Amino acid sequence: MKNKMADLHNALFMELETLQDEDSFRGEDGKIDQAKVELAIKRADAVSGVAGKIMELQRLQLDAVKTAFDHGIAVRMPETLGIEDARPVGGKP
């Protein structure tokens, strides 16, 4: 993981794909293993919780940049937003 929002999106979709893949929950006998299901659900819940915190932090950073901009304060775009090269519409490069 490179710690970009695109990587977070990919990780969340991988968790979703895992939850949708019934074969990943089958034991050696071919039957659904409830322990594997419960573990996958706990893992997905943990991933979702961490992802939510990351997204809250992203929102806080974006709000801070927007507030500074609205008050005429020049700030550098945080790298973690993944838009550090963004320019205002009609802005100069």
Side-chain angles (χ1 to χ4, degrees), residues 56-75:
E56 285 176 26
L57 179 57
Q58 295 279 18
R59 169 55 61 194
L60 179 62
Q61 290 176 328
L62 188 57
D63 288 347
V65 169
K66 183 180 180 308
T67 299
F69 179 79
D70 289 347
H71 289 86
I73 301 168
V75 294

Side-chain angles (χ1 to χ4, degrees), residues 19-72:
L19 289 172
Q20 292 175 328
D21 180 14
E22 285 186 19
D23 290 337
S24 65
F25 304 122
R26 296 193 188 283
E28 291 180 15
D29 60 1
K31 294 180 181 178
I32 298 292
D33 182 337
Q34 287 296 40
K36 286 184 178 184
V37 171
E38 290 174 18
L39 183 60
I41 290 171
K42 286 180 183 178
R43 175 188 165 114
D45 189 47
V47 168
S48 175
V50 171
K53 294 296 180 187
I54 291 169
M55 292 170 72
E56 285 176 26
L57 179 57
Q58 295 279 18
R59 169 55 61 194
L60 179 62
Q61 290 176 328
L62 188 57
D63 288 347
V65 169
K66 183 180 180 308
T67 299
F69 179 79
D70 289 347
H71 289 86

Side-chain angles (χ1 to χ4, degrees), residues 63-92:
D63 288 347
V65 169
K66 183 180 180 308
T67 299
F69 179 79
D70 289 347
H71 289 86
I73 301 168
V75 294
R76 180 177 292 193
M77 193 67 67
E79 287 183 31
T80 55
L81 291 176
I83 53 175
E84 57 272 3
D85 293 330
R87 301 278 185 261
V89 174
K92 297 179 182 176

